[in-house]
């Protein structure tokens, strides 16, 4: 998934200082967000401050609100969400982008949160499974998953729902083949794919797959 | 959020199953928690001040720990404990010590700082490296083989398959001083309590297991609290802080069980007309460092194969031990048996459906075979190896599962406010057990499902069975049904008393109290007439009252496969699978269909992709992850049509395991039909298909 970090908080940092920052970041693995803001407030020639290896403070915009977190600089977005923000609907399964279970939406795009540093998610809108439902009402894709029993143990479910949401955002009436390809990054071990396909077809106003007629028995 | 549970599943996509169950449209009672991320699994718990335990593991098939730097590991900030307990290993992934740290990051840094250096030793990781010769064929069988017009002499092989539940194995323990709790990812809530008191250093009555949600198990979490839960409990007692111990994905592949590899050497005699006389079947199971567990269920006894001498050997290897895996021994045995039968068919010019109808021991399954043949379009099947570059193939396989009695207890409480509580100490690992319990209680009480709260997954509840052997539903159901009937009778007694109506003139239907065939009041009003807070029904599955609710017979099934093989690339593409399955009275249609679909998918994945691969020189597993350990994904999905077989079905019976048994065998038969040559080794990967086509395959 994306390895290109999104820029730090928009309007607060010039492109030049951002590039400087990221150059240092690549070498030193950590730069304090605070420093960037201070840097941005001043002319771009101001020196960049390094931080780490000790804890750093970051601000993540998750499900519409800013979360101030103190983390180890090497913390991935998945770890920050699970360990520090208490948002454990984002599951940890493979920790190397092979299963899609830690999927979140970053500015509407589907991303494996295990492959992104939490630091790099600053300035973007992060949506986790906890942010999909409105109080008192589920998102239509969540309703469709329930109706079609597109879940068993439930551990892959948040990732599959967000992948389906991203797919429908890009393609409101996907064919079965497009659904299969669109969800190919998400592993379900219990084996619910048939019902997931039906849930996505139904959520996009299409008929679920028809099975054979009843046996004579 | 409960109010918003969508329950109106359209039945139009599975018309043949409509009306097959107590609750056709019921959705899972925990579905909202699962789709919103609110469901907390044990691995999701990171209390403040939590410690993390990780195991130091042997990286080779056998070896000596030659050097390590414990001081450097202890010096990593946040590390509390580094303990090496042994300096030799017998398999990749064997724990030889552990580290306790204040964060997962510190734990990983300490593992690197420990800088363990190993000197590898000799090892065996494949059955063929360590297997003995089959014992001598007994005299009568040897004579039978000599007399037979034909003898099929073939060897069938299956790989090691890892359970790979998405939530890895482990637990999170909290010691409160005078009591303690373990949040366990287990298939046996009651079993996880066994011995945990010793780890916590407290009386058993002061220790509780919680298991609300489990991210899959498939048999590998039938070991109670497991090694991980035990050390979490022990360390929480030592440090008086919460302790989490969960395996990482690679460790889960290495040391949390597997379906063992197998080989089956088959020598079977038959006549030119297809009459099977019998023969000698010897199987080997690659059991790693375990002493047993390598059984391979051939012959299955579904078919009359004449006089069979069956011998077997468990082969010890330098690899992780097996654990029960969804129908232990069966998928590997049925792969060998179904393909063996089709090879006999090919030699005799017999149709595989005709052959099975002849050999099948069960009349029910014979019915299922005829139905399945019609649904899949068996009449389109061409002779083996017909067609051009892309060849179509059909195959079938059979399955059977008995019921294994276990004790289960349940309570059903009807409260004066109309709410209902079902209490039983089983768990829902994705099977739908929570919902099955609720539907059964609501059905017998006569109230709406939305009134029922199901309490499972705590060791303080009345004890329930583990989720293994397909035993949970069918053993828990009689107790829940009996408890619900008792609670219902107590309710009718009390309400009848208040209304001055004899209770036997009252009944409850569709959430209403009925008298003279007319609704008198709704459920909540009726409950409000209770003279006390609640009425309680209690039952155990082993009493004569509960035994009335037990069904007859086995859970049986037949699967048919329609696939294509690309003879230029060797790729097998499964198009469609019909899965006919009986399981007694279906309680919850959606969940039953999901169990069947899931079993079939795991079977397809086993047939085509999954393979735990060890390097033969070092004994190291080379694919301990989810990108090289291949599991079927959405792009590989065939169309799967589950058919709930309702004819003559009584009671609540087994469903978890039987649907995964016949799939790989049916696929192997269909590949044989497509390309005209048998691929006798799972997984059926393109290289093996191409080798078979070139005549050099095994």
């Amino acid at each position: 998934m994306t390895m290109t970090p999104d820029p730090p908080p928009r309007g607060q940092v010039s492109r030049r200082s951002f590039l400087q920052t990221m150059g240092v970041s690549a070498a030193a693995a950590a730069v304090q967000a605070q420093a960037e803001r201070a840097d941005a407030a001043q002319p771009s020639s101001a020196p960049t401050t390094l931080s780490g290896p000790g804890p750093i403070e970051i601000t993540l915009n998750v499900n519409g609100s800013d979360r101030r977190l103190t983390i180890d600089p090497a913390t991935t977005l998945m770890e920050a969400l699970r360990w520090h923000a208490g948002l454990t609907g984002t599951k940890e399964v493979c920790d190397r982008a092979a299963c899609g279970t830690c999927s979140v939406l970053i500015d509407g795009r589907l991303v494996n949160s295990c492959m992104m540093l939490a630091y790099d998610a600053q300035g973007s809108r992060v949506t986790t499974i906890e942010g999909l439902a409105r109080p008192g009402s589920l998102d239509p894709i969540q309703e469709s998953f329930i109706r079609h029993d597109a879940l068993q143990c439930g551990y892959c479910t948040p990732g599959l729902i967000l992948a389906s949401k991203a797919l429908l955002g890009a393609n409101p009436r996907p064919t079965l083949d497009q659904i299969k390809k669109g969800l190919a990054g998400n592993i379900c071990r219990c084996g619910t794919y048939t019902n997931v396909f039906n849930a996505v077809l139904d959520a996009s106003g299409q008929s679920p797959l028809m099975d054979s007629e009843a046996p004579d028995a | 959020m409960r109010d918003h549970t969508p329950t109106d599943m359209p039945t139009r996509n599975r018309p043949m199953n409509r009306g097959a169950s107590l609750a056709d449209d019921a959705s899972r009672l925990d579905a909202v928690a699962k789709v919103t991320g609110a469901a907390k699994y044990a691995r999701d718990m990171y209390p403040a001040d939590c410690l993390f335990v990780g195991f130091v593991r042997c990286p080779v098939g056998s070896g000596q720990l030659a050097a390590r730097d414990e001081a450097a590991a202890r010096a990593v900030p946040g590390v509390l404990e580094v303990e090496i307990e042994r300096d030799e290993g017998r398999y990749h992934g064997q724990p030889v010590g552990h580290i306790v740290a204040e964060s997962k990051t510190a734990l990983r840094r300490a593992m690197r700082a420990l800088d363990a250096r190993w000197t590898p030793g000799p090892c065996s990781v494949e059955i063929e490296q360590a297997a003995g010769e089959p014992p001598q064929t007994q005299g009568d069988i040897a004579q039978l083989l000599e007399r037979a017009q034909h003898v099929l002499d073939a060897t069938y092989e299956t790989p090691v398959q890892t359970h790979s539940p998405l939530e890895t194995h482990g637990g999170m323990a909290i010691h409160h001083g005078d009591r303690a709790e373990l949040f366990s990812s287990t298939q046996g809530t009651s079993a996880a309590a066994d011995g945990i008191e010793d780890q916590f250093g407290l009386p058993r009555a002061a220790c509780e297991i919680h298991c609300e949600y489990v991210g899959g198990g498939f048999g590998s979490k039938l070991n109670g609290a497991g090694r991980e839960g035990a050390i979490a409990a022990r360390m929480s007692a030592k440090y008086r802080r919460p302790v989490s111990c969960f395996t990482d994905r690679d460790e889960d592949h290495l040391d949390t069980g597997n379906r063992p590899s197998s080989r089956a050497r088959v020598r079977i005699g038959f006549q030119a007309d297809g009459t099977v006389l019998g023969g000698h079947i010897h199987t080997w199971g690659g059991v790693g460092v375990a002493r047993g567990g390598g059984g391979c269920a051939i012959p299955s006894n579904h078919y009359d194969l004449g006089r069979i001498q069956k011998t077997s050997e468990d082969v010890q290897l330098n690899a992780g031990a097996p654990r029960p895996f969804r129908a232990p021994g069966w998928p590997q045995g049925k792969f060998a048996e179904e393909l063996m039968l089709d090879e006999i068919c090919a030699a005799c010019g017999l149709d595989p459906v005709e052959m099975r109808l002849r050999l099948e021991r069960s009349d029910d399954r014979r019915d299922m075979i005829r139905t399945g043949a019609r649904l899949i379009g068996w009449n389109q099947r061409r002779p083996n190896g017909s067609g051009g570059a892309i060849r179509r193939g059909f195959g079938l396989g059979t399955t059977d599962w008995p019921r294994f009695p276990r004790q289960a207890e349940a309570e059903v409480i009807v409260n004066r406010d109309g709410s209902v509580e079902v209490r039983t100490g089983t768990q829902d690992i994705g099977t739908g057990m929570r919902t099955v319990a609720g539907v059964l209680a609501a059905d017998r009480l006569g109230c709406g499902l939305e009134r029922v709260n199901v309490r499972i997954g705590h060791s303080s509840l009345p004890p329930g069975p583990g989720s293994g052997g397909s035993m949970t539903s069918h053993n828990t159901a009689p107790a829940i049904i009996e408890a619900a009937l008792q609670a219902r009778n107590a309710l009718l007694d009390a309400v009848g008393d208040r209304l001055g109506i004899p209770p036997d003139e009252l009944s409850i239907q569709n959430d209403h109290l009925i008298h003279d065939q007319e609704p008198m009041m709704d459920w909540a009003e009726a409950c409000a007439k209770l003279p006390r807070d609640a009425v309680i029904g209690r039952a155990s599955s082993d009493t004569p009252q509960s035994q009335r609710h037990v069904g007859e017979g086995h859970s049986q099934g037949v699967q048919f496969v329609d696939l294509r093989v690309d003879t230029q690339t060797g790729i097998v593409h499964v198009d469609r699978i019909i899965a006919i399955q009986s399981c007694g009275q279906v309680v919850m249609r959606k969940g039953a269909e999901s169990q069947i679909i899931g079993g079939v998918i795991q079977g397809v994945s086993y047939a085509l992709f999954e393979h735990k691969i060890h390097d033969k020189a070092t004994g190291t597993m080379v694919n301990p992850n989810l990108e090289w350990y291949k599991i079927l994904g959405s792009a590989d999905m065939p169309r799967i049509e589950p058919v709930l077989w309702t004819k003559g079905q009584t009671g609540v019976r087994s469903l978890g395991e039987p649907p995964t048994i016949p799939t790989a065998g049916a696929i192997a038969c269909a590949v044989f039909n497509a390309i005209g040559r048998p691929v006798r080794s799972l997984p059926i990967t393109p290289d093996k298909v191409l080798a078979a086509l070139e005549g050099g395959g095994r």
Side-chain angles (χ1 to χ4, degrees):
Chain A
M1 292 293 171
T2 181
M3 287 299 292
T4 312
D6 285 304
R10 290 189 182 87
Q12 296 185 351
V13 62
S14 72
R15 180 173 166 77
R16 186 171 161 219
S17 71
F18 168 63
L19 291 174
Q20 284 176 342
T21 303
M22 293 321 294
V24 175
S25 168
V31 178
Q32 196 173 37
Q34 285 300 320
E36 287 168 30
R37 288 206 190 79
D39 180 35
Q42 293 166 21
S44 57
S45 58
T48 300
T49 310
L50 280 180
S51 69
I56 61 170
E57 268 200 10
I58 63 165
T59 303
L60 289 181
N61 183 282
V62 187
N63 301 330
S65 51
D66 281 349
R67 305 283 295 256
R68 198 78 171 270
L69 304 174
T70 304
I71 62 168
D72 184 287
T75 305
T76 64
L77 177 57
M78 174 194 75
E79 293 164 345
L81 292 169
R82 286 175 60 81
W83 303 349
H84 301 285
L87 296 170
T88 54
T90 302
K91 301 301 183 197
E92 175 179 0
V93 169
C94 74
D95 204 17
R96 49 200 285 167
C99 73
T101 316
C102 66
S103 297
V104 298
L105 302 178
I106 304 263
D107 295 327
R109 282 178 306 131
L110 191 66
V111 170
N112 284 317
S113 62
C114 70
M115 296 303 283
M116 183 179 203
L117 289 175
Y119 175 86
D120 288 335
Q122 295 184 95
S124 301
R125 286 176 294 112
V126 180
T127 306
T128 71
I129 191 68
E130 289 90 346
L132 220 51
R134 300 271 164 271
S137 82
L138 298 171
D139 188 275
I141 190 68
Q142 291 172 313
E143 295 223 0
S144 200
F145 264 64
I146 295 176
R147 197 176 292 124
H148 289 275
D149 203 44
L151 63 151
Q152 294 186 42
C153 83
Y155 216 71
C156 71
T157 309
L160 266 166
I161 287 177
L162 288 167
S164 302
K165 180 87 180 164
L167 170 66
L168 293 177
N171 181 358
R173 277 181 74 85
T175 64
L176 179 60
D177 273 352
Q178 288 169 337
I179 294 170
K180 287 183 174 183
K181 290 192 178 77
L183 303 180
N186 292 69
I187 290 178
C188 165
R189 185 48 158 165
C190 298
T192 61
Y193 298 112
T194 305
N195 291 348
V196 172
F197 301 158
N198 282 334
V200 176
L201 286 168
D202 198 13
S204 56
Q206 306 180 75
S207 290
L209 307 168
M210 290 290 287
D211 287 355
S212 309
E213 282 309 300
D216 304 330
Chain B
M1 282 291 197
R2 259 302 292 286
D3 295 348
H4 305 285
T5 309
T7 56
D8 57 328
M9 179 181 180
T11 47
R12 64 181 179 273
N13 60 323
R14 310 242 167 78
M16 83 283 269
N17 295 335
R18 186 182 297 137
S21 75
L22 288 180
D24 269 8
D25 284 349
S27 293
R28 285 171 199 259
L29 298 180
D30 51 16
V32 171
K34 286 177 176 175
V35 301
T36 56
K40 286 275 180 197
Y41 299 71
R43 197 176 175 175
D44 294 338
M45 297 185 184
Y46 306 99
D49 222 21
C50 189
L51 299 177
F52 297 86
V53 184
F55 291 106
V56 179
R57 294 180 186 272
C58 172
V60 289
S62 83
Q64 294 285 328
L65 180 53
R68 72 223 191 209
D69 192 344
E70 288 179 53
R74 278 196 196 92
V76 171
V79 171
L80 276 71
E81 177 172 323
V82 177
E83 192 174 324
I84 302 297
E85 288 139 24
R86 48 162 55 214
D87 55 10
E88 58 168 353
R90 288 173 58 210
Y91 64 94
H92 182 198
Q94 181 177 7
V96 297
H98 66 265
I99 296 178
V100 182
E102 292 185 311
S103 71
K104 292 279 278 185
T105 310
L107 194 57
R108 287 174 195 150
R109 286 179 180 142
M111 289 285 178
R112 280 198 294 274
L114 183 66
D115 196 20
R117 304 288 174 94
W118 288 77
T119 308
C123 63
S124 307
V125 289
E126 302 278 351
I127 286 177
E128 67 207 36
Q129 292 175 291
E133 284 297 311
Q136 198 169 14
T137 302
Q138 65 198 40
D140 56 333
I141 300 291
Q143 283 172 16
L144 176 156
L145 289 171
E146 266 174 37
R147 278 203 319 272
Q149 289 172 332
H150 299 282
V151 173
L152 173 69
D153 186 339
T155 301
Y156 302 91
E157 297 176 331
T158 65
V160 177
Q161 179 188 27
T162 63
H163 301 74
S164 300
L166 292 193
E167 184 190 27
T168 57
H169 293 70
M172 197 282 291
I174 304 180
H175 200 293
H176 299 282
D178 56 352
R179 66 183 183 89
E181 305 169 275
L182 176 69
F183 295 81
S184 179
S185 186
T186 182
Q187 291 179 240
T189 307
S190 303
D194 287 341
I196 205 70
E197 65 272 18
D198 297 336
Q199 310 296 336
F200 278 125
L202 287 170
R204 173 140 183 180
C207 304
E208 188 167 10
I209 306 294
H210 303 292
C211 178
E212 284 277 353
Y213 299 98
V214 183
F218 316 111
S220 64
K221 294 177 182 171
L222 282 168
N223 58 338
R227 192 200 312 268
E228 302 83 12
I231 197 168
R234 195 162 78 244
M235 291 300 141
S236 75
K238 180 173 179 181
Y239 290 101
R240 293 299 162 96
R241 289 170 68 173
V243 177
S244 173
C245 180
F246 273 84
T247 56
D248 284 338
R249 178 54 50 192
D250 57 339
E251 300 175 279
D252 220 63
H253 280 294
L254 297 170
D255 195 34
T256 64
N258 54 64
R259 184 186 299 288
S261 55
S262 78
R263 286 185 100 188
R265 167 88 189 274
V266 167
R267 283 186 305 135
I268 191 150
F270 56 98
Q271 305 296 69
D273 66 358
T275 306
V276 181
L277 303 173
H280 184 183
I281 298 175
H282 182 76
T283 63
W284 294 265
V287 297
V289 292
R291 289 202 179 82
C296 177
I298 174 173
S300 67
N301 290 325
H302 302 176
Y303 303 122
D304 180 357
L305 299 177
R307 290 174 54 78
I308 299 285
Q309 178 192 0
K310 170 69 189 284
T311 55
S312 63
E313 182 195 353
D314 285 331
V315 181
Q316 289 207 315
L317 301 169
N318 297 96
R323 286 183 194 167
F325 193 156
R326 206 169 188 170
W330 282 92
Q332 51 267 55
K334 286 301 280 182
F335 157 68
E337 184 177 77
E338 301 290 1
L339 185 52
M340 172 193 88
L341 275 186
D342 275 20
E343 292 194 50
I344 294 172
C345 287
C348 304
L350 267 175
D351 178 89
V353 162
E354 199 51 48
M355 172 75 138
R356 282 169 181 77
L357 288 173
R358 208 192 275 184
L359 300 180
E360 177 61 62
R361 292 185 197 268
S362 153
D363 289 339
D364 287 344
R365 248 188 333 253
R366 204 171 281 120
D367 261 6
M368 291 175 175
I369 290 173
R370 291 195 190 95
T371 303
R374 186 170 59 73
L375 289 173
I376 200 79
W378 187 261
N379 54 6
Q380 299 171 75
R381 182 181 182 274
R382 307 269 305 278
N384 290 349
S386 308
I390 308 287
R391 298 187 193 165
R392 193 173 181 186
F394 289 84
L396 79 157
T398 60
T399 183
D400 187 289
W401 201 259
R403 58 181 302 277
F404 299 104
R406 289 288 184 283
Q407 207 207 347
E409 295 179 24
E411 288 177 359
V412 173
I413 304 171
V414 176
N415 294 302
R416 193 154 47 184
D417 69 355
S419 64
V420 175
E421 192 176 336
V422 180
R423 294 160 52 84
T424 181
T426 184
Q427 54 287 314
D428 188 335
I429 65 167
T431 53
M433 186 58 221
R434 185 179 264 116
T435 314
V436 165
V439 169
L440 286 171
D443 179 75
R444 293 326 197 266
L445 289 170
C447 70
L449 181 59
E450 67 282 357
R451 301 194 186 275
V452 180
N453 283 292
V454 178
R455 298 254 300 141
I456 57 172
H458 301 277
S459 60
S460 54
L461 294 166
S467 297
S470 301
M471 294 187 292
T472 333
S473 292
H474 76 71
N475 282 305
T476 315
I480 295 170
I481 291 170
E482 184 56 28
L485 290 175
Q486 281 182 20
R488 177 180 172 280
N489 291 341
L491 174 67
L492 290 179
D493 284 350
V495 173
D497 200 40
R498 281 290 291 276
L499 297 174
I501 301 173
D504 55 4
E505 291 178 16
L506 293 170
S507 65
I508 309 170
Q509 284 167 30
N510 298 323
D511 212 41
H512 282 79
L513 186 71
I514 309 287
H515 183 238
D516 278 346
Q517 299 179 357
E518 289 294 324
M520 284 182 79
M521 60 186 76
D522 83 356
W523 169 269
E525 283 177 73
C527 292
K529 303 221 175 292
L530 279 174
R532 50 191 186 277
D533 284 346
V535 288
I536 303 178
R538 284 198 185 90
S540 175
S541 61
D542 56 359
T543 63
Q545 289 85 353
S546 295
Q547 286 291 309
R548 292 181 295 154
H549 313 302
V550 171
E552 301 266 314
H554 289 198
S555 294
Q556 301 180 325
V558 174
Q559 291 178 16
F560 280 79
V561 170
D562 175 2
L563 55 70
R564 282 169 297 155
V565 180
D566 184 328
T567 56
Q568 290 175 330
T569 63
I571 290 173
V572 176
H573 183 91
V574 182
D575 288 306
R576 188 164 169 241
I577 297 180
I578 302 285
I580 300 177
Q581 185 65 49
S582 71
C583 60
Q585 162 76 69
V586 180
V587 179
M588 170 208 177
R589 180 177 65 90
K590 293 187 201 178
E593 289 174 351
S594 287
Q595 275 282 31
I596 297 170
I597 292 168
V600 170
I601 289 175
Q602 286 189 355
V604 179
S605 191
Y606 181 59
L608 299 182
F609 303 115
E610 297 187 39
H611 192 181
K612 183 187 186 203
I613 303 168
H614 287 269
D615 179 85
K616 279 189 192 172
T618 62
T620 299
M621 180 182 178
V622 300
N623 56 343
N625 48 55
L626 291 177
E627 65 267 33
W628 300 117
Y629 183 89
K630 298 283 187 192
I631 291 175
L632 177 142
S634 62
D636 311 304
M637 270 292 292
R639 175 166 161 163
I640 299 169
E641 300 182 28
V643 179
L644 297 170
W645 189 266
T646 55
K647 192 166 140 189
Q649 299 298 301
T650 59
V652 175
R653 291 211 309 269
S654 307
L655 186 56
E657 278 153 305
T660 207
I661 290 172
T663 318
I667 287 174
C669 290
V671 169
F672 180 36
N673 175 222
I675 68 173
R677 292 174 189 274
V679 178
R680 295 179 181 144
S681 167
L682 296 185
I684 304 174
T685 45
D687 56 316
K688 293 177 190 170
V689 171
L690 294 177
L693 280 164
E694 284 159 16
R698 48 182 188 175

